[in-house]
Amino acid sequence: MRRLAVAAAPWLVLAGSVAAGPGGREAFVFTSLAGDARGAALGVGAAALVEGEGAVWGNPAAAPLKLEYTAGLTHVSWTDGFIGESLATMLPVGEEAVVGVGGAFVLHDPVTVTSEILPDGTGALMRPLGVQASVLGASFLHEALAVGAGVRVVHESFGDTAIEGMALDLGGVWLPDPSWAVGLAMRGFGGTIQSRTSRDPFPMTFDASVRYDPPEWIPVPLRAWGGTSLALWGPTAGGLAVELGDWYGAFFRGMVELREGHGFGWAIGLGGRRDQWNLDYTLAPAGELGLVHRIGLTLRFTKRLKPGGE
C-alpha cells in the first residue's frame, strides 16, 4: 500500500478514503471517485443494493432489480480541484437478465510535482488522471435470487508514473419478501495493481446491505438501508441511509457513515423523476479537501419490465 500511495501521491490517498458513494471505499485508488449521484447519497449502507446502472459502481447482482434500458451520466465537481464524468448504461436481456457497461474519468487541476510527492519530482506542473471501465452481466436465477459478475479495469497516471489493474466484482441479491432485500458483494477479487516498480493486490472489499421497503398501506413513501464494507486494503465502514419519495416525482436522500480512521461521514441528495428521465444531486463533505458535488441525469428508453428501482 505504501508504494501505491507514493505513486498516486499522498493527497490522492486521502481523496479516495473520504469520497462518498459505493465507489469510495477503495482508499488509494484515484478512480474510486467514479459513481452515480444517487448511490453517493446512499453511501456504504446501500452499496450492495443500488439498482440498475448504479450497480456498475457497486454490486453487479443488483442491476436486474431495475430491468430497464437506461443510460446515466454523472458529473463530479470537487472544491479541491477534482472534476470528472461517469457514464453507465444497462440493457435488459429478456425479462430476467441485464448486461451493462460503465466508464469514468477523473482529473485534478495541475499540481507541482516535488520530490515529496514523487522520488523523481522536477517541480513541473502535471495533471493527475484516473480512468475506470467496467462490464457486467447479471440475472435472476428465480424470482427471489439474482447473481452477477463484472470486470473492472483502472488506469491512473501522474506525470510519467502510471498505475494499472484489473479485477472481478461478484455479487448476489436475495429478496425474501416484497419488503426486504439483502445484497452481498465481493469487489476487487483476484486482481493486482502495478506500476513500473511495484505490484500490489487490488483493493478488495466485502460489502453487505439490507433494504427495507414498508408495505403500501404505510402512508409515508420511505426506503431504508443499512450495511457495511469490510476492506482488506483500505478503511472499513458502516452506514445507514434513507430515501423519501415519491412526492410528485421528488425524492430526498441522506446517509451517515462511520469510517475507520476518518470518523463520521454524511451525504444529502435530492432527486426528480419523470416518465423518461431522472435528475439527481448529491452533496458530501470530504474533510480538508472541501465538498463533493454530484449531478446526475438518467434517461429511460424502455418501460419497466419488473418492479424495482426508484
Side-chain angles (χ1 to χ4, degrees):
M1 180 174 179
R2 182 185 61 81
R3 290 175 293 171
L4 284 175
V6 170
W11 45 270
L12 293 183
V13 180
L14 180 59
S17 67
V18 297
R25 300 180 303 279
E26 295 143 357
F28 51 87
V29 177
F30 189 15
T31 48
S32 66
L33 300 179
D36 66 312
R38 178 172 179 260
L42 300 177
V44 165
L49 285 171
V50 177
E51 311 96 327
E53 68 283 347
V56 168
W57 320 111
N59 179 4
L65 296 182
K66 188 168 73 172
L67 276 170
E68 300 171 341
Y69 177 18
T70 61
L73 175 65
T74 299
H75 173 72
V76 178
S77 178
W78 203 323
T79 54
D80 188 63
F82 286 101
I83 60 170
E85 309 293 337
S86 299
L87 175 64
T89 184
M90 287 290 156
L91 177 64
V93 180
E95 297 186 358
E96 302 292 338
V98 295
V99 293
V101 296
F105 72 88
V106 183
L107 291 171
H108 191 278
D109 294 340
V111 298
T112 302
V113 183
T114 67
S115 58
E116 295 179 355
I117 296 178
L118 293 176
D120 54 352
T122 62
L125 287 175
M126 295 184 181
R127 182 185 292 273
L129 168 67
V131 179
Q132 173 174 301
S134 299
V135 179
L136 69 81
S139 177
F140 278 95
L141 297 183
H142 58 76
E143 63 182 12
L145 181 64
V147 296
V151 176
R152 188 153 45 107
V153 179
V154 300
H155 170 87
E156 302 172 14
S157 62
F158 189 50
D160 295 331
T161 299
I163 298 174
E164 296 179 335
M166 182 171 66
L168 293 175
D169 298 331
L170 306 172
V173 171
W174 178 43
L175 305 173
D177 64 49
S179 293
W180 292 93
V182 179
L184 298 172
M186 178 170 58
R187 289 169 44 81
F189 173 72
T192 60
I193 294 180
Q194 60 186 35
S195 65
R196 292 178 301 178
T197 59
S198 66
R199 180 182 177 92
D200 294 87
F202 209 96
M204 189 164 70
T205 63
F206 296 88
D207 304 325
S209 299
V210 177
R211 186 189 72 202
Y212 177 65
D213 279 302
E216 294 183 358
W217 57 266
I218 294 180
V220 178
L222 169 70
R223 310 176 90 191
W225 291 261
T228 185
S229 176
L230 305 177
L232 297 186
W233 301 90
T236 294
L240 300 172
V242 295
E243 181 176 64
L244 296 172
D246 177 8
W247 288 291
Y248 302 101
F251 296 86
F252 172 81
R253 308 176 183 108
M255 68 85 172
V256 291
E257 295 178 353
L258 179 60
R259 303 165 183 160
E260 181 183 11
H262 296 280
F264 282 95
W266 59 268
I268 56 174
L270 300 173
R273 176 180 175 182
R274 290 295 178 264
D275 290 339
Q276 298 300 122
W277 55 265
N278 288 26
L279 184 64
D280 299 296
Y281 168 77
T282 294
L283 171 68
E288 296 180 357
L289 297 181
L291 297 171
V292 183
H293 303 267
R294 283 183 173 87
I295 300 175
L297 174 64
T298 301
L299 301 179
R300 186 176 299 106
F301 299 98
T302 57
K303 293 183 178 180
R304 184 170 298 162
L305 301 179
K306 184 183 290 290
E310 296 181 345

